[in-house]
């Protein structure tokens, strides 16, 4: 039986990105991942009740704020909890999440100014998974998973 891997649904080609599109990995990369893992796609924003498409959001400290000033922290936190629940229920110890995302970003996220400025930090979901001992990788680190 293959090890399970949580993966940002947008990386698998699902149109759940804030803009309504996706961040699909190259098909060859997805094929290699599927050979090694059973992929479990998740979109924390959708799981938290946000629509697609939706207004872009960035983290500002412990809050997540949309470009038009709406506080969506509760939805991001709810989605993160649901993703953690999936990981626990399915005994998943690794996640491959979308870099830079206010939910899924690992180590580097946008600073909340909507100017493209990147700072050190984790998205809400990545932070929660890491706090519960789940290894989180960005798509820039796929080689470490293979």
């Amino acid at each position: 039986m293959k090890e399970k891997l949580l993966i940002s649904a947008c990386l698998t080609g699902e149109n759940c990105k804030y803009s309504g599109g996706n961040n699909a990995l190259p098909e060859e990369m997805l094929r290699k991942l599927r050979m090694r893992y059973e992929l479990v796609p998740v979109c924390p924003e959708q799981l938290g009740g946000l629509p697609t498409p939706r207004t872009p959001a960035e983290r500002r400290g412990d809050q997540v704020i949309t470009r038009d000033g709406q506080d969506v922290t509760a939805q991001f936190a709810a989605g993160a909890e649901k993703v953690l629940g999936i990981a626990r229920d399915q005994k998943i110890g690794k996640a491959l999440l979308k870099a830079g995302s206010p939910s899924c970003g690992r180590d580097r996220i946008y600073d909340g100014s909507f100017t493209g400025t990147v700072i050190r930090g984790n998205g809400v979901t990545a932070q929660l998974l890491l706090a519960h001992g789940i290894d989180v990788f960005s798509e820039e680190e796929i080689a470490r998973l293979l």
Side-chain angles (χ1 to χ4, degrees):
M1 189 154 83
K2 291 181 190 175
E3 179 181 1
K4 291 184 179 185
L5 176 70
L6 279 176
I7 184 169
S8 293
C10 63
L11 296 176
T12 68
E14 196 170 311
N15 291 330
C16 58
K17 184 177 171 178
Y18 74 90
S19 63
N22 64 64
N23 296 300
L25 294 170
E27 195 52 48
E28 177 65 15
M29 190 64 63
L30 283 170
R31 187 185 66 73
K32 287 179 181 178
L33 287 167
R34 286 186 181 112
M35 285 175 58
R36 173 132 187 210
Y37 300 98
E38 179 183 335
L39 302 183
V40 179
V42 293
C43 177
E45 291 96 328
Q46 286 184 338
L47 289 169
L50 293 171
T52 300
R54 58 191 163 272
T55 305
E58 294 184 2
R59 280 196 86 170
R60 272 190 211 150
D62 289 333
Q63 290 184 296
V64 183
I65 307 296
T66 65
R67 179 178 284 146
D68 59 9
Q70 182 182 0
D71 185 337
V72 289
T73 307
Q75 293 93 328
F76 274 69
E81 288 290 343
K82 287 184 179 178
V83 171
L84 177 61
I86 291 167
R88 285 179 165 163
D89 289 348
Q90 298 193 32
K91 297 177 179 29
I92 301 173
K94 293 179 185 171
L96 174 59
L97 302 179
K98 177 66 188 122
S101 159
S103 282
C104 297
R106 182 174 180 281
D107 293 334
R108 294 177 303 129
I109 56 172
Y110 294 100
D111 72 349
S113 67
F114 296 94
T115 61
T117 304
V118 175
I119 59 171
R120 288 194 56 77
N122 294 311
V124 177
T125 298
Q127 183 174 309
L128 185 64
L129 295 177
L130 288 164
H132 285 86
I134 295 170
D135 293 327
V136 176
F137 301 85
S138 78
E139 75 271 23
E140 298 158 352
E141 302 173 293
I142 290 177
R144 292 179 54 206
L145 287 167
L146 298 173

